[in-house]
Amino acid sequence: MGGSSPCASCKLLRRRCAKDCIFAPYFPPDDPHKFAIVHKVFGASNVSKMLQELPIHQRADAVSSLVYEANARVRDPVYGCVGAISYLQNQVSQLQMQLAVAQAEFLCIQMQQEPNLPAQIDQDEKSFLLSSNFNNNIPQYLGFASSSTVNQDPLKRESLWT
Amino acid sequence: MISGRCAACKYLRRRCPSHCIFSPYFPPNDPQRFACVHRIYGASNVGKMLQKLPPHLRAQTADTLYTEAKCRIQDPVYGCVGIISHLHQQIHIAESQLAKTQAEIAVLNSIAREAQVQEIEADSNFFNNLLPEEITAAGLRSYGYGPPSTQTFRFN
C-alpha cells in the first residue's frame, strides 16, 4: 500500500522502489550496508542480472553468498575469498597429515600388543587403512600456489550466512 | 596502436591507451579472462579496484578476481562460498577422525600400561609368597633366578 519504505537498493540508487523490485525481498531498508557493499564490489546492474538468471527459491542464498564475497573483498582487496580458500586448504592438508601419523601410530601399537597377528600386514591393507579415512582428493580450486602473504585472519571460522 | 589492444579494450571496443589499467593483467591472447571478470564485476568496478591498489599488488588482485568470477559463473548461487563451505566440512570431518584415532591410541596405551602393572604385581606376589628356606641361592636357582649370566626367569 502507499507509503511503504523503498528497499535499501532503491534508497541508495535514489529511485522509485517498484512493487516487483528484484532487490526488495533481499535488501530490506533497515540494513543499508548490505546492499552498499554488494553494489560497491559487483555493481547493482550485475547483481540484478545475476538474480534474474536464478529461480526465485535460490535468490536468497545467492544474495547471502554475494554479500559474503563482497565483505571478503572489501576486507582483503587483493585476495578476497581466495585468501580464505587458500588458508582452509592448508588446514585440511595439515589435518590429513596429522591423521595419517596418528593412524600409523595406532597400527604400530596394535601390532605390538597383539603379537599373534601375522608378522606383516599386507601392504595393500596397510595402504587402505591409512588412506580410507580421509579424502586424498582435494579438488584443486586454485590455479596458482597460495602465497605466504595471504591474509588468513578474518574468514577462518566466520559464519557463512548473515 | 589498434593491433596492440589488451583484451579489455578489445572487449569494450575502445582504443587501448598507453597507461591502460587493464593491459598488464588482461593480455589479448586470453580474451576469456576479461570476459569472466567483466561479466561478474563490470569493467568499471575492476578498474576502480585495481586503481586503488599499488602496482605490485595488481597482478595478484586480477588473478583472484578472475578465480572468483570463474567460481561464480560455475556456481551462480554460491560461487566461492560453496568451496569455503565444503572445506569447512572437510576440516570438521578430519578433526573428528583425528580425535577418534587419538582416543583409540589412548585406550591401547592404557591397556598396555595395565598389563605392565599386572605383570609387576604378579612378580611381586611371587617373591612375597616364597618360604624363607626358598629364599636361598639354591632355592632361587630352582625357580630360575640365578646370577645374571645364567638363565632368565620366566614366571608362568
Side-chain angles (χ1 to χ4, degrees), chain A residues 61 65 78 81 113 133 156, chain B residues 64 68 77-78 88 97 108:
Chain A
D61 278 354
S65 69
V78 180
C81 269
Q113 291 186 355
N133 285 340
K156 284 181 256 188
Chain B
T64 59
E68 285 190 34
V77 181
Y78 297 105
H88 276 305
Q97 286 173 339
L108 286 183

Side-chain angles (χ1 to χ4, degrees), chain B residues 63-115:
Chain B
D63 283 342
T64 59
L65 286 171
Y66 175 48
T67 299
E68 285 190 34
K70 264 197 310 185
C71 287
R72 181 60 62 172
I73 289 168
Q74 282 165 4
D75 184 352
V77 181
Y78 297 105
C80 269
V81 178
I83 297 169
I84 291 173
S85 179
H86 177 67
L87 286 168
H88 276 305
Q89 279 179 350
Q90 280 198 304
I91 288 170
H92 177 72
I93 289 168
E95 283 175 343
S96 302
Q97 286 173 339
L98 183 61
K100 180 174 169 252
T101 305
Q102 286 169 339
E104 286 168 351
I105 289 170
V107 165
L108 286 183
N109 282 335
S110 91
I111 290 172
R113 272 195 300 274
E114 184 66 29

Side-chain angles (χ1 to χ4, degrees), chain A:
Chain A
M1 298 317 257
S4 63
S5 181
C7 71
S9 336
C10 295
K11 264 190 182 174
L12 185 78
L13 299 171
R14 293 183 191 172
R15 63 184 196 190
R16 256 189 73 226
C17 191
K19 263 190 193 171
D20 57 351
C21 172
I22 192 151
F23 297 118
Y26 318 108
F27 297 102
D30 57 357
D31 191 359
H33 173 78
K34 190 174 167 186
F35 181 76
I37 203 161
V38 164
H39 176 53
K40 182 174 178 177
V41 175
F42 295 100
S45 164
N46 290 329
V47 174
S48 172
K49 279 185 221 163
M50 283 191 250
L51 291 180
Q52 276 170 0
E53 285 169 5
L54 289 170
I56 294 175
H57 68 277
Q58 288 183 322
R59 289 179 187 173
D61 278 354
V63 165
S64 295
S65 69
L66 286 169
V67 170
Y68 186 92
E69 276 192 41
N71 273 309
R73 182 57 65 174
V74 165
R75 259 187 296 218
D76 185 349
V78 180
Y79 293 99
C81 269
V82 174
I85 290 173
S86 180
Y87 172 80
L88 292 171
Q89 281 187 316
N90 283 340
Q91 265 204 307
V92 170
S93 296
Q94 282 178 19
L95 280 168
Q96 288 178 344
M97 274 196 303
Q98 288 173 23
L99 184 57
V101 166
Q103 286 172 333
E105 189 183 338
F106 175 80
L107 278 175
C108 284
I109 296 173
Q110 212 176 30
M111 283 162 67
Q112 283 168 9
Q113 291 186 355
E114 295 181 31
N116 294 330
L117 280 176
Q120 283 184 345
I121 289 181
D122 182 67
Q123 271 304 117
D124 289 343
E125 187 181 356
K126 212 187 277 186
S127 305
F128 173 75
L129 285 169
L130 286 174
S131 69
S132 63
N133 285 340
F134 62 88
N135 179 14
N136 272 325
N137 301 317
I138 304 176
Q140 293 303 311
Y141 296 117
L142 305 179
F144 50 93
S146 56
S147 162
S148 60
T149 61
V150 165
N151 178 9
Q152 299 170 350
D153 176 54
L155 293 169
K156 284 181 256 188
R157 292 282 186 176
E158 183 177 324
S159 168
L160 293 181
W161 302 137
T162 52

